[in-house]
Structures are given as structure tokens and as C-alpha cells.
Amino acid sequence: MISLINALPGAVAQGLIWGIMAIGVYITYRILDIADLTVDGSLCTGGAVCIMLMLSGQNVWVAMFGALLAGMVSGLATGILHTFMGIPAILAGILTQLGLYSINLKTMGKANQAINVDKYDLLVSLRFIKNVPIFKNTILLVAVIIVVLIAVLYWFFGTELGCSLRATGCNDKMARAQGINTDFCRVLGLMISNGLVALSGALLCQYQGFADINMGRGAIVIGLAAVIIGEAIFGKIFRNFGLRLLGVAFGSIVYYLVLQLVIWMGIDTDLLKLLSAAVVAVFLAIPTWKSRYFSKVG
């Protein structure tokens, strides 16, 4: 039990970092109504760009901003494939993800690139969880970043452009009838989403001390799990848009806490991906089960 308690702060920190990625997934999955698989590649892109910029001597904030821009370019590529070339969104995401594998490999120069917390001034790290000044604590820093991001997104989606983006995801035909450029809104939404995913990757590579070519594999499943768990637990409590985004971040924390509990119970870690897929499948099926079976029983 002591080992589980000692591992919980690390799980919370990791959940918060992935929570930024989950917010990005929420934008495409819930607001734009697009299943975007680019995130499996753009997460690694953020980590690769961030770590290479830092290794070249750049400041951590410059490196993270570079990762954000790289993620937005990835989203732009998917958006162009989807809107300009007419490729279905899910296939456009797969194509971009496939191309990003080679780009990430070239960016890092090899499959794995490490960075030493003792030699470089990292913003977050696994070592900054316990016994550090509060202003360096990873959990606090990432929590502040999430609050700032949610505040910015809340403001943006309340603007005319943000409302246009939401209208596009809600009913694109009606949005076009109102004079909204729906193609531009889709591209913009994909850029914002993948920018956040890449920012999460930049924080993740610092936290774990390395960027790996496979670090984004299965990221979409974790993102969906966080979104669905957050909605299932906090959906009836958090009605406001900003609070919903916060609920998604909390969903990511819950996911990693459950994962830590599963590891502590001694379940084979090789089965974690299967467990994640099963959790997502069950939560996705709950609305259908409610309407199809439990309503009849009522």
C-alpha cells in the first residue's frame, strides 16, 4: 500500500500532462465532430522538436513554443488533406501520422533522444515531484499551465471565430448557410488541437527525460479515455464549457490513477493497452446501452 501511495503523485503529474493532450482531442472529437488520428504523430513531433531545440541551446520556453508551432503545422497538413484534397478526416489523420513518423525520425536523428535534467534547465521532470521548492513542483506547474490554457480556450470559443468553429462541428450545412467558411474552421480546429497535443508532448519528453519515436503510439486511445471518463464522472456537475475542459483534464488524472492501481495489483503490464481499449469501448457503449436496454426496462 505504501508503494501505491508513493506512486500516486507521479500518476497525477503524468495525468495532468496527458490532460493537455486530452483537451486537444476534445476539440476535434466533441467540438468539430472529427476523429483525428494525427495526435499519435503530433505528440511525438512536439517532444522531438522540444528536445532538439533544448539540446541545441534554446530556452525551454522557446523550445515549447517551437513544439506548439510544429503541432499546429501537423494539424494544418491534416486539414489541407481533408478540406482541399477531399480526403475523409480519419484517413487524412492516418496519412499525416504516417508522414510524421519519418519527419520525427529525421528531426531527432535517431529513434530515441535523451536529455539530462542535471545539464539542462527543464520546466518539469520526474525528479520535481517531491522534495523540491513549490515553484518547481511539476504538479503545480502543469496545473497552472492547464488553467491558463482553459482560460484562453474559453475566451477564444466565446469570440465570433470560436462560435463559428463550434457551429461548424454542430451543423456544417447550417453554418455554411450563415456564411461561415467551414473548411477554414475545420483546419483551424485541427491546428489548435494538434498544437495542444504537441505542447503535451513537449512537457512529456521533459518529464520522462527523453523523446522516443513511439511515444505517441496509442495516444488517441488515452485521449478518448480521458474525454469519456471526464464526461461520465463530471458531465452532470460541470455544465460550463470551461469546466468541461477541466473535467477532461480530471478524466486524464483518473485514468492514470486507475492505471497505477492496476499496476500495483500485479496485473501484467503487457495488457495495459488492451485494458485501455476495453475501458474506452465500454464508456463509448454506455449511451447506447442506456437508450437500447435500460429505457425498455424502465
Side-chain angles (χ1 to χ4, degrees):
M1 180 60 73
I2 295 174
S3 61
L4 175 63
I5 294 172
N6 289 333
L8 290 182
V12 171
Q14 204 166 357
L16 283 169
I17 291 171
W18 282 90
I20 298 174
M21 186 275 298
I23 291 172
V25 172
Y26 182 88
I27 291 172
T28 50
Y29 182 66
R30 284 295 187 220
I31 297 178
L32 278 181
D33 195 24
I34 291 176
D36 179 32
L37 297 182
T38 313
V39 297
D40 280 22
S42 58
L43 184 86
C44 181
T45 300
V49 170
C50 178
I51 212 164
M52 294 310 294
L53 284 174
M54 290 199 70
L55 289 174
S56 67
Q58 295 296 330
N59 180 279
V60 64
W61 294 105
V62 174
M64 288 174 61
F65 183 69
L68 177 69
L69 291 180
M72 294 184 75
V73 171
S74 302
L76 176 64
T78 301
I80 290 173
L81 288 172
H82 175 48
T83 58
F84 181 71
M85 300 181 70
I87 299 171
I90 191 167
L91 293 179
I94 292 171
L95 290 173
T96 306
Q97 175 198 139
L98 187 64
L100 285 175
Y101 185 91
S102 297
I103 293 171
N104 295 338
L105 206 54
K106 280 295 183 182
T107 301
M108 293 189 291
K110 53 184 179 180
N112 186 291
Q113 191 69 254
I115 190 165
N116 194 327
V117 66
D118 296 323
K119 295 181 180 179
Y120 295 90
D121 187 21
L122 304 184
L123 184 65
V124 297
S125 172
L126 183 58
R127 294 192 196 175
F128 299 161
I129 299 293
K130 299 176 183 177
N131 304 320
V132 293
I134 191 167
F135 63 88
K136 289 192 71 174
N137 187 279
T138 294
I139 295 175
L140 178 64
L141 284 173
V142 180
V144 170
I145 290 172
I146 287 178
V147 170
V148 171
L149 286 175
I150 290 175
V152 171
L153 290 172
Y154 183 80
W155 166 81
F156 171 75
F157 282 103
T159 63
E160 185 177 347
L161 181 58
C163 289
S164 299
L165 201 150
R166 293 165 74 176
T168 299
C170 185
N171 190 326
D172 62 335
K173 292 181 180 178
M174 180 61 72
R176 279 198 301 271
Q178 298 298 320
I180 296 172
N181 187 337
T182 54
D183 285 346
F184 172 78
C185 287
R186 285 196 185 92
V187 173
L188 180 61
L190 287 165
M191 289 176 68
I192 294 171
S193 170
N194 284 282
L196 292 174
V197 171
L199 181 63
S200 174
L203 289 168
L204 183 62
C205 78
Q206 294 177 59
Y207 177 78
Q208 61 192 12
F210 65 90
D212 187 83
I213 193 66
N214 292 316
M215 66 186 285
R217 183 171 292 177
I220 185 65
V221 176
I222 298 173
L224 286 174
V227 170
I228 294 161
I229 291 171
E231 289 181 339
I233 297 175
F234 306 104
K236 292 185 178 180
I237 305 171
F238 295 162
R239 298 288 186 179
N240 181 275
F241 176 72
L243 293 177
R244 285 183 181 180
L245 294 179
L246 188 62
V248 170
F250 285 158
S252 179
I253 295 173
V254 171
Y255 172 82
Y256 270 93
L257 289 175
V258 170
L259 215 59
Q260 195 63 52
L261 180 63
V262 167
I263 293 171
W264 176 75
M265 290 172 62
I267 295 176
D268 188 357
T269 53
D270 291 343
L271 301 176
L272 289 180
K273 295 289 187 184
L274 178 61
L275 179 65
S276 301
V279 168
V280 173
V282 168
F283 275 98
L284 283 171
I286 284 174
T288 303
W289 291 344
K290 278 183 178 179
S291 60
R292 186 177 295 175
Y293 304 114
F294 295 103
S295 60
K296 292 180 181 178
V297 173

